[in-house]
Amino acid sequence: MPRSADMDYKQTLNLPKTDFPMRGNLPKREPEMLQRWQQLKLEEKLHAAGKGKPTFTLHDGPPYANGHIHIGHALNKILKDIIIKSKRMQGFHAPYVPGWDCHGLPIELKVDQKLGKQKREMSKVEIRKECRNYAREWVSIQSEEFQRLGIFGDWQHPYLTMTAGYEAATARELARFAERGGLFKGKKPVHWCSSCVTALAEAEVEYADHSSPSIYVKFRFNGELPNELRDAVGERPLDFVIWTTTPWTIPANLGICLNPALDYVVVESGDELLVLAEGLWQSVMQSLGREKGRVVASFNAGIFERQTCRHPLYARDSLIILGDHVTLEAGTGCVHTAPGHGMDDYIVGLKYGLEVYNPVDDYGRYRADLELFGGMKVAEANGAVNDKLNEVGALLQAANISHSYPHCWRCKKPIIFRATEQWFISMEANELRQKALTAIGQVEWIPHWGRDRIYNMIENRPDWCISRQRSWGVPITACYCSKCGHALADGKIMHHIADQFEEVGSDIWFEKDAGELLPAGTVCPECGGDEFRKETDILDVWFDSGVSQAAVVEPHPQLQYPADLYLEGSDQHRGWFHSSLLAALGARDRVPYKAVLTHGFVLDQNGRPMSKSAGNVIAPEKVIKQYGAEILRLWVATQDYRDDNRVGDDILKQVSEAYRRIRNTARYILGNIHDFDPETDLVATDEMLEIDRWALSRLAALTERMKRAYDEYQFHVLYHAVHNFCSVDLSSFYLDVLKDRLYTAPAKSLERRSAQTAMYRILDAMTRWIAPVLSFTADEIWTELPGEREESVHLAEFPASFDELRDLDLEERYSRLLQLRSAISKALEEARNAKLIGHSLDARVTLAAATGPWRELAENYRNELATLCIVSQAELVEELTDGKASDELPELVIRVDKAEGEKCERCWNYSKSVGEEEARPTVCRRCREALDA
RNA sequence: GGGCUAGUAGCUCAGCUGGCUAGAGCACACGACUGAUAAUCGUGAGGUCGGAGGUUCAAGUCCUCCCUGGCCCA
């Protein structure tokens, strides 16, 4: 029970006072802040404030308009937002135009599912309308979700890849490719369902067990025998043995592929000489049911490169080629290669100039003109092929195996791999590949290894297949002559069509006939025909988003070309960074970005990718509900995003603890400057107390770190710096030491104003520094800070340099004082454990130091020691025989006693001066003076 | 299998071009305070720097191999 006098004196103290709540209550207050920003018309004001300033263009990579945002989206957008906000506060005009990727298969599939059977009676235009509505719905949902994260941007005018203007721009860029000869028609194998008569994307393929034939086939070598094998083989026939589970592709065989890194052997079995990989020959012998077999020679695959074997059924050769994809996992090490029926085969075939030969039609039948099997359904052709192979003596063995095989997701029937006509962008025309490689060297990649990553991809990638056999996308605006079938992809004509997209969008392609779309008088350059049919393929969505540099950055009045920065996950080296580069160089010979920054992926707490099936998904929505968006924002700043980013309950808990530390530090300062007006009460630096100048020097140091952290996009450095500053410099030392002065000195005294000046300047600066990350909280602090200021911290700028506040000598002295303080703290802790003291103010410290720097320091600060250590008395003596030497600083001997005198009821310091005055017997002299002031 | 990349206390991160007994904060344990109080302060414990070789007077830091993850391909 406090005595009445106690209460009276408490009234005379300057205790902290603030309405700023200790707990953020973020889930509830953030929406209020969002509303406030809207009422302020903050976005408009930011735009207005940007006028006349240099522009910083961060071009937004469009997320796919399908499904709720996940934590990876949050990471990406928050990083962008931090950068945009920090650039603004550095004095740039930094507009942010968000975008969405709206075309493509996933949306079309979702709409398919929704429509069900209904779809069959609908026209392409109607289906596309459904897709458009679907995408638009998700755009608006995701937009809300992003805004809830506190992301600033022109949300009223985002760019969508499905708007008329964007589609026109897309078609126009394609026309440019055509104009420059970068567009060509070729063949490429795709998953094909012969029953649905359609190409299938990877997402539409299901894998299921299926029984297939398993055959071993001999290909008779008919080239010139390499010298290395002369002795072993002589004049005897040599057979390369291939293994396949699709005999029906044998008619399309054009090559045999060996791995140059593997060893091969010639095995003598009966009267045959068989070529097999060394690592497989014995198991093959076993499969063939042959007991005997003898290796008569071994060799490296390279000696047979570009030699030939005879096709067992047709009068043509099969080229012996080399490829890394050949493994020892199955087969013979000699891989049957049909470029028209397999992806590996296709790619390796390109290297060797093999034809992409496909003798199979849309319905899964061999073309009528195919020798031996013409007109036969390939699904039923396996037996016939085997019989024929057997007949010519090439079949070594035929059996059946069960294995995983691709099936159509819709009709559930097994599908085939089959080359079809596709549009490509050539990597070689106009030296696109070389230009891209050169351009990569001119771009700044952050982190630097991004360069190697994309360089290797561009260096090795095949031509860009931009055809998709789908409905929901921008059409490839080519036509075919109805008479001769000639493909018309003329730049001028394509521009003419693109112009028609400008007003009404690309739907017009599906609504009108070729004759209406083409310029009047168009004739086929081959046969002079004047009737055409339209291409039905649409563009790869990567082309859509790849042209955003042309469709958005270039024409947008706020943005500047090229963009200063692209910022996406590291998967986009293959995706958007890649397609943007090729699209910009291929169509216009320009590089779309000056710098590219990548972040890693979000993983769970244990470093595993998140997935529904693993049940480890952390939805942004849930984090927002439980902790607030601010915690998600701060989490982003804790991560070194160049690597993978882990998130989980424990991590989020830790982040919210850190948040509270920062928040409470701000709150405490606000409480202590409630009666401070910077207009009138600010103390000039050279009149401030030394420790207050030290605090400002630390602020100056922090400022330098902040500047660098923002410049280098190193937000985790920023986080740690701010957090350490709050914990170490402020809370545990400076603010703790300050309490006595703040509470007990007269409210308007220089001592108190000096401290308030330091605190005010610290909080003002810190609030600005954290604003890009803690956007909600910073603005909340901002409105509580005294002084004239902008309506929102986001309209303010970062603090100028504080170089003049930096005092390295002072900091050096204080770092040693802190060491001394720490030694004393340890001694106090021992005294506390011995029940000698409770609060440190109960203590009297006696200190002795041998001559030397520590002695000197202690002498220089003998009058401040008590204050710095928050003890009632501290004395420096010549010699101390009954003290204890410090472990860390052995020159120091420390003794802790109970403080002398009585405890002052007002300031809680012990002092002999308590009781000196009869009228006020319970307070010390210092307090009496303060009360009289 | 290939390209790129990461692996320092339970967690998030420092540790520059090799040089003091490897640091910080948080979390944890114990204690103090009750005038930052669902706060604040102090003390303490905690690491064979993924592993194994090697170079060097000296290696978390350089080299080789291996292990475990991630992204993108195949």
Side-chain angles (χ1 to χ4, degrees), chain A residues 723-767:
Chain A
H723 190 238
N724 269 27
F725 182 66
C726 286
S727 293
V728 182
D729 289 329
L730 296 183
S731 194
S732 76
F733 175 59
Y734 181 63
L735 296 178
D736 209 23
V737 168
L738 230 48
K739 280 177 191 164
D740 181 74
R741 175 154 44 115
L742 284 169
Y743 297 171
T744 69
K748 296 174 179 172
S749 62
L750 175 71
E751 294 98 303
R752 187 151 176 278
R753 292 301 191 208
S754 170
Q756 285 180 315
T757 298
M759 287 190 296
Y760 169 76
R761 297 189 68 172
I762 285 169
L763 189 57
D764 176 84
M766 206 171 79
T767 304

Short mmCIF file of all heavy atoms in Angstrom, two decimals, chain A residues 723-767:
data_model
loop_
_atom_site.label_atom_id
_atom_site.label_comp_id
_atom_site.label_asym_id
_atom_site.label_seq_id
_atom_site.Cartn_x
_atom_site.Cartn_y
_atom_site.Cartn_z
N HIS A 723 16.45 -3.38 -35.76
CA HIS A 723 16.12 -4.15 -34.57
C HIS A 723 17.22 -4.06 -33.53
O HIS A 723 16.96 -3.87 -32.34
CB HIS A 723 15.87 -5.60 -34.98
CG HIS A 723 15.29 -6.43 -33.90
ND1 HIS A 723 15.89 -7.56 -33.44
CD2 HIS A 723 14.18 -6.26 -33.15
CE1 HIS A 723 15.17 -8.08 -32.46
NE2 HIS A 723 14.12 -7.31 -32.28
N ASN A 724 18.46 -4.17 -33.96
CA ASN A 724 19.57 -4.05 -33.03
C ASN A 724 19.66 -2.66 -32.42
O ASN A 724 19.95 -2.52 -31.24
CB ASN A 724 20.89 -4.36 -33.74
CG ASN A 724 21.24 -5.83 -33.65
OD1 ASN A 724 20.36 -6.66 -33.52
ND2 ASN A 724 22.52 -6.13 -33.71
N PHE A 725 19.40 -1.69 -33.23
CA PHE A 725 19.43 -0.31 -32.75
C PHE A 725 18.39 -0.14 -31.63
O PHE A 725 18.69 0.40 -30.57
CB PHE A 725 19.15 0.64 -33.92
CG PHE A 725 19.20 2.09 -33.57
CD1 PHE A 725 20.40 2.68 -33.18
CD2 PHE A 725 18.06 2.88 -33.64
CE1 PHE A 725 20.45 4.04 -32.87
CE2 PHE A 725 18.10 4.23 -33.32
CZ PHE A 725 19.30 4.82 -32.94
N CYS A 726 17.20 -0.63 -31.87
CA CYS A 726 16.15 -0.53 -30.87
C CYS A 726 16.50 -1.29 -29.60
O CYS A 726 16.29 -0.80 -28.50
CB CYS A 726 14.82 -1.06 -31.42
SG CYS A 726 14.06 0.05 -32.60
N SER A 727 17.00 -2.49 -29.78
CA SER A 727 17.26 -3.33 -28.61
C SER A 727 18.52 -2.92 -27.87
O SER A 727 18.49 -2.72 -26.67
CB SER A 727 17.43 -4.79 -29.04
OG SER A 727 16.23 -5.29 -29.53
N VAL A 728 19.60 -2.81 -28.61
CA VAL A 728 20.90 -2.67 -27.97
C VAL A 728 21.21 -1.22 -27.62
O VAL A 728 21.47 -0.90 -26.46
CB VAL A 728 22.01 -3.24 -28.89
CG1 VAL A 728 23.37 -3.12 -28.20
CG2 VAL A 728 21.69 -4.69 -29.23
N ASP A 729 21.17 -0.36 -28.63
CA ASP A 729 21.53 1.03 -28.36
C ASP A 729 20.47 1.72 -27.52
O ASP A 729 20.79 2.41 -26.56
CB ASP A 729 21.72 1.79 -29.68
CG ASP A 729 22.98 1.36 -30.40
OD1 ASP A 729 23.95 0.98 -29.71
OD2 ASP A 729 23.00 1.38 -31.64
N LEU A 730 19.23 1.55 -27.93
CA LEU A 730 18.17 2.32 -27.27
C LEU A 730 17.64 1.66 -26.01
O LEU A 730 17.87 2.14 -24.90
CB LEU A 730 17.02 2.58 -28.25
CG LEU A 730 17.37 3.44 -29.47
CD1 LEU A 730 16.13 3.69 -30.31
CD2 LEU A 730 17.99 4.76 -29.03
N SER A 731 16.93 0.58 -26.18
CA SER A 731 16.16 0.06 -25.06
C SER A 731 17.04 -0.35 -23.87
O SER A 731 16.78 0.02 -22.74
CB SER A 731 15.32 -1.13 -25.53
OG SER A 731 14.36 -1.44 -24.57
N SER A 732 18.07 -1.12 -24.15
CA SER A 732 18.81 -1.67 -23.01
C SER A 732 19.84 -0.69 -22.48
O SER A 732 20.37 -0.89 -21.40
CB SER A 732 19.47 -3.00 -23.39
OG SER A 732 20.60 -2.76 -24.17
N PHE A 733 20.13 0.35 -23.20
CA PHE A 733 21.11 1.29 -22.68
C PHE A 733 20.57 2.72 -22.63
O PHE A 733 20.23 3.23 -21.56
CB PHE A 733 22.41 1.23 -23.49
CG PHE A 733 23.42 2.26 -23.07
CD1 PHE A 733 23.91 2.28 -21.76
CD2 PHE A 733 23.88 3.21 -23.97
CE1 PHE A 733 24.84 3.25 -21.35
CE2 PHE A 733 24.81 4.17 -23.56
CZ PHE A 733 25.28 4.19 -22.26
N TYR A 734 20.49 3.32 -23.77
CA TYR A 734 20.20 4.76 -23.79
C TYR A 734 18.88 5.12 -23.09
O TYR A 734 18.85 5.95 -22.18
CB TYR A 734 20.20 5.26 -25.23
CG TYR A 734 19.94 6.74 -25.35
CD1 TYR A 734 20.82 7.66 -24.79
CD2 TYR A 734 18.81 7.21 -26.00
CE1 TYR A 734 20.58 9.02 -24.89
CE2 TYR A 734 18.56 8.57 -26.10
CZ TYR A 734 19.44 9.47 -25.54
OH TYR A 734 19.20 10.82 -25.63
N LEU A 735 17.82 4.48 -23.49
CA LEU A 735 16.52 4.83 -22.92
C LEU A 735 16.43 4.45 -21.45
O LEU A 735 15.78 5.13 -20.66
CB LEU A 735 15.39 4.17 -23.73
CG LEU A 735 15.27 4.64 -25.18
CD1 LEU A 735 14.14 3.90 -25.89
CD2 LEU A 735 15.03 6.15 -25.25
N ASP A 736 17.13 3.38 -21.10
CA ASP A 736 17.12 2.95 -19.71
C ASP A 736 17.84 3.98 -18.83
O ASP A 736 17.35 4.35 -17.76
CB ASP A 736 17.79 1.57 -19.61
CG ASP A 736 17.24 0.77 -18.45
OD1 ASP A 736 16.11 1.06 -18.01
OD2 ASP A 736 17.95 -0.14 -17.97
N VAL A 737 18.98 4.42 -19.30
CA VAL A 737 19.75 5.42 -18.56
C VAL A 737 18.99 6.74 -18.48
O VAL A 737 19.04 7.46 -17.49
CB VAL A 737 21.13 5.63 -19.24
CG1 VAL A 737 21.83 6.88 -18.68
CG2 VAL A 737 22.00 4.40 -19.07
N LEU A 738 18.26 7.02 -19.56
CA LEU A 738 17.56 8.30 -19.67
C LEU A 738 16.40 8.46 -18.68
O LEU A 738 16.02 9.58 -18.34
CB LEU A 738 17.00 8.41 -21.09
CG LEU A 738 17.28 9.69 -21.87
CD1 LEU A 738 18.74 10.05 -21.79
CD2 LEU A 738 16.85 9.51 -23.32
N LYS A 739 15.85 7.35 -18.25
CA LYS A 739 14.63 7.41 -17.44
C LYS A 739 14.75 8.38 -16.27
O LYS A 739 13.89 9.24 -16.08
CB LYS A 739 14.31 6.02 -16.88
CG LYS A 739 13.63 5.12 -17.88
CD LYS A 739 13.42 3.73 -17.29
CE LYS A 739 12.99 2.77 -18.37
NZ LYS A 739 13.13 1.37 -17.97
N ASP A 740 15.83 8.23 -15.55
CA ASP A 740 16.00 9.05 -14.36
C ASP A 740 15.90 10.53 -14.72
O ASP A 740 15.17 11.30 -14.09
CB ASP A 740 17.36 8.73 -13.72
CG ASP A 740 17.59 9.54 -12.46
OD1 ASP A 740 16.97 9.20 -11.43
OD2 ASP A 740 18.37 10.51 -12.51
N ARG A 741 16.61 10.92 -15.75
CA ARG A 741 16.64 12.32 -16.15
C ARG A 741 15.27 12.77 -16.67
O ARG A 741 14.77 13.82 -16.31
CB ARG A 741 17.71 12.51 -17.22
CG ARG A 741 17.76 13.90 -17.81
CD ARG A 741 19.15 14.28 -18.36
NE ARG A 741 19.82 13.25 -19.12
CZ ARG A 741 20.10 13.35 -20.43
NH1 ARG A 741 19.71 14.41 -21.11
NH2 ARG A 741 20.77 12.40 -21.02
N LEU A 742 14.69 11.94 -17.53
CA LEU A 742 13.41 12.32 -18.12
C LEU A 742 12.32 12.49 -17.09
O LEU A 742 11.51 13.41 -17.15
CB LEU A 742 12.98 11.26 -19.12
CG LEU A 742 13.69 11.25 -20.47
CD1 LEU A 742 13.34 9.98 -21.23
CD2 LEU A 742 13.29 12.49 -21.27
N TYR A 743 12.32 11.57 -16.12
CA TYR A 743 11.22 11.56 -15.16
C TYR A 743 11.38 12.62 -14.09
O TYR A 743 10.42 13.23 -13.65
CB TYR A 743 11.10 10.19 -14.48
CG TYR A 743 10.78 9.04 -15.42
CD1 TYR A 743 10.84 7.73 -14.96
CD2 TYR A 743 10.43 9.26 -16.75
CE1 TYR A 743 10.55 6.67 -15.79
CE2 TYR A 743 10.15 8.20 -17.59
CZ TYR A 743 10.22 6.90 -17.11
OH TYR A 743 9.95 5.86 -17.93
N THR A 744 12.64 12.82 -13.65
CA THR A 744 12.82 13.62 -12.44
C THR A 744 13.25 15.05 -12.71
O THR A 744 13.00 15.93 -11.89
CB THR A 744 13.85 12.97 -11.48
OG1 THR A 744 15.15 13.04 -12.09
CG2 THR A 744 13.49 11.52 -11.20
N ALA A 745 13.90 15.33 -13.82
CA ALA A 745 14.34 16.70 -14.08
C ALA A 745 13.12 17.57 -14.38
O ALA A 745 12.10 17.06 -14.84
CB ALA A 745 15.31 16.73 -15.26
N PRO A 746 13.22 18.86 -14.16
CA PRO A 746 12.10 19.74 -14.48
C PRO A 746 11.72 19.60 -15.94
O PRO A 746 12.58 19.46 -16.80
CB PRO A 746 12.66 21.14 -14.19
CG PRO A 746 13.75 20.92 -13.21
CD PRO A 746 14.34 19.58 -13.51
N ALA A 747 10.43 19.67 -16.20
CA ALA A 747 9.92 19.33 -17.52
C ALA A 747 10.59 20.15 -18.62
O ALA A 747 10.86 19.63 -19.70
CB ALA A 747 8.41 19.55 -17.55
N LYS A 748 10.87 21.39 -18.35
CA LYS A 748 11.40 22.24 -19.40
C LYS A 748 12.88 22.49 -19.28
O LYS A 748 13.43 23.35 -19.97
CB LYS A 748 10.64 23.57 -19.40
CG LYS A 748 9.18 23.39 -19.75
CD LYS A 748 8.38 24.65 -19.61
CE LYS A 748 6.93 24.36 -20.00
NZ LYS A 748 6.06 25.50 -19.72
N SER A 749 13.53 21.72 -18.42
CA SER A 749 14.96 21.92 -18.21
C SER A 749 15.75 21.52 -19.45
O SER A 749 15.30 20.73 -20.28
CB SER A 749 15.43 21.09 -17.02
OG SER A 749 15.22 19.72 -17.30
N LEU A 750 16.94 22.07 -19.55
CA LEU A 750 17.81 21.72 -20.66
C LEU A 750 18.10 20.23 -20.68
O LEU A 750 18.09 19.59 -21.74
CB LEU A 750 19.13 22.50 -20.56
CG LEU A 750 20.17 22.11 -21.62
CD1 LEU A 750 19.74 22.61 -22.99
CD2 LEU A 750 21.55 22.64 -21.26
N GLU A 751 18.34 19.64 -19.52
CA GLU A 751 18.64 18.22 -19.45
C GLU A 751 17.54 17.40 -20.10
O GLU A 751 17.80 16.47 -20.85
CB GLU A 751 18.78 17.75 -17.98
CG GLU A 751 19.95 18.32 -17.23
CD GLU A 751 19.49 19.50 -16.39
OE1 GLU A 751 18.93 20.47 -16.98
OE2 GLU A 751 19.67 19.46 -15.15
N ARG A 752 16.31 17.76 -19.76
CA ARG A 752 15.21 16.97 -20.29
C ARG A 752 14.99 17.29 -21.77
O ARG A 752 14.79 16.39 -22.59
CB ARG A 752 13.93 17.24 -19.50
CG ARG A 752 12.80 16.33 -19.89
CD ARG A 752 11.83 16.07 -18.76
NE ARG A 752 10.71 15.27 -19.23
CZ ARG A 752 9.66 15.79 -19.88
NH1 ARG A 752 9.60 17.07 -20.12
NH2 ARG A 752 8.70 14.98 -20.30
N ARG A 753 15.09 18.54 -22.15
CA ARG A 753 14.90 18.90 -23.55
C ARG A 753 15.99 18.29 -24.42
O ARG A 753 15.75 17.94 -25.58
CB ARG A 753 14.88 20.42 -23.71
CG ARG A 753 13.67 21.12 -23.09
CD ARG A 753 12.37 20.64 -23.68
NE ARG A 753 11.23 21.47 -23.29
CZ ARG A 753 9.98 21.03 -23.18
NH1 ARG A 753 9.72 19.75 -23.42
NH2 ARG A 753 9.02 21.84 -22.85
N SER A 754 17.16 18.22 -23.87
CA SER A 754 18.27 17.61 -24.61
C SER A 754 17.94 16.16 -24.94
O SER A 754 18.09 15.70 -26.09
CB SER A 754 19.55 17.71 -23.80
OG SER A 754 20.57 16.95 -24.37
N ALA A 755 17.47 15.45 -23.94
CA ALA A 755 17.11 14.04 -24.16
C ALA A 755 15.95 13.94 -25.15
O ALA A 755 15.95 13.10 -26.05
CB ALA A 755 16.74 13.38 -22.84
N GLN A 756 14.99 14.82 -24.99
CA GLN A 756 13.83 14.79 -25.88
C GLN A 756 14.22 15.11 -27.31
O GLN A 756 13.70 14.53 -28.27
CB GLN A 756 12.77 15.78 -25.40
CG GLN A 756 12.02 15.28 -24.16
CD GLN A 756 10.98 16.28 -23.70
OE1 GLN A 756 11.27 17.49 -23.63
NE2 GLN A 756 9.80 15.79 -23.39
N THR A 757 15.17 16.02 -27.45
CA THR A 757 15.64 16.35 -28.80
C THR A 757 16.23 15.10 -29.47
O THR A 757 15.91 14.79 -30.62
CB THR A 757 16.71 17.45 -28.73
OG1 THR A 757 16.12 18.62 -28.18
CG2 THR A 757 17.24 17.77 -30.12
N ALA A 758 17.06 14.40 -28.72
CA ALA A 758 17.67 13.19 -29.28
C ALA A 758 16.58 12.18 -29.64
O ALA A 758 16.56 11.63 -30.75
CB ALA A 758 18.65 12.59 -28.28
N MET A 759 15.67 11.96 -28.73
CA MET A 759 14.63 10.96 -28.97
C MET A 759 13.74 11.35 -30.15
O MET A 759 13.37 10.52 -30.97
CB MET A 759 13.77 10.77 -27.72
CG MET A 759 14.49 10.01 -26.62
SD MET A 759 13.38 9.56 -25.27
CE MET A 759 12.91 11.14 -24.68
N TYR A 760 13.43 12.62 -30.19
CA TYR A 760 12.57 13.10 -31.28
C TYR A 760 13.25 12.88 -32.63
O TYR A 760 12.66 12.36 -33.57
CB TYR A 760 12.28 14.59 -31.08
CG TYR A 760 11.62 15.23 -32.28
CD1 TYR A 760 10.28 15.02 -32.55
CD2 TYR A 760 12.37 16.02 -33.16
CE1 TYR A 760 9.69 15.57 -33.67
CE2 TYR A 760 11.79 16.58 -34.28
CZ TYR A 760 10.44 16.37 -34.53
OH TYR A 760 9.87 16.90 -35.64
N ARG A 761 14.50 13.28 -32.69
CA ARG A 761 15.20 13.13 -33.97
C ARG A 761 15.36 11.66 -34.33
O ARG A 761 15.27 11.28 -35.51
CB ARG A 761 16.56 13.83 -33.91
CG ARG A 761 16.42 15.33 -33.68
CD ARG A 761 17.73 16.05 -33.83
NE ARG A 761 18.20 16.04 -35.22
CZ ARG A 761 19.24 16.74 -35.65
NH1 ARG A 761 19.92 17.49 -34.80
NH2 ARG A 761 19.62 16.69 -36.91
N ILE A 762 15.60 10.84 -33.33
CA ILE A 762 15.74 9.40 -33.59
C ILE A 762 14.44 8.83 -34.12
O ILE A 762 14.42 8.13 -35.14
CB ILE A 762 16.17 8.67 -32.30
CG1 ILE A 762 17.65 8.95 -32.00
CG2 ILE A 762 15.92 7.16 -32.44
CD1 ILE A 762 18.09 8.49 -30.63
N LEU A 763 13.36 9.13 -33.46
CA LEU A 763 12.10 8.51 -33.88
C LEU A 763 11.63 9.07 -35.22
O LEU A 763 11.12 8.33 -36.06
CB LEU A 763 11.01 8.72 -32.81
CG LEU A 763 9.73 7.93 -33.08
CD1 LEU A 763 10.01 6.43 -33.21
CD2 LEU A 763 8.69 8.17 -31.99
N ASP A 764 11.85 10.35 -35.42
CA ASP A 764 11.48 10.93 -36.70
C ASP A 764 12.23 10.23 -37.84
O ASP A 764 11.64 9.81 -38.84
CB ASP A 764 11.81 12.43 -36.71
CG ASP A 764 11.52 13.06 -38.07
OD1 ASP A 764 10.35 13.42 -38.29
OD2 ASP A 764 12.45 13.17 -38.90
N ALA A 765 13.52 10.06 -37.66
CA ALA A 765 14.33 9.42 -38.71
C ALA A 765 13.96 7.95 -38.85
O ALA A 765 13.76 7.44 -39.95
CB ALA A 765 15.81 9.57 -38.38
N MET A 766 13.84 7.29 -37.72
CA MET A 766 13.58 5.85 -37.77
C MET A 766 12.23 5.57 -38.44
O MET A 766 12.11 4.62 -39.21
CB MET A 766 13.59 5.28 -36.36
CG MET A 766 13.95 3.82 -36.32
SD MET A 766 14.22 3.27 -34.63
CE MET A 766 12.54 3.08 -34.09
N THR A 767 11.27 6.40 -38.15
CA THR A 767 9.94 6.21 -38.74
C THR A 767 10.02 6.28 -40.27
O THR A 767 9.40 5.50 -40.99
CB THR A 767 8.98 7.27 -38.22
OG1 THR A 767 8.96 7.20 -36.79
CG2 THR A 767 7.58 7.03 -38.73
#
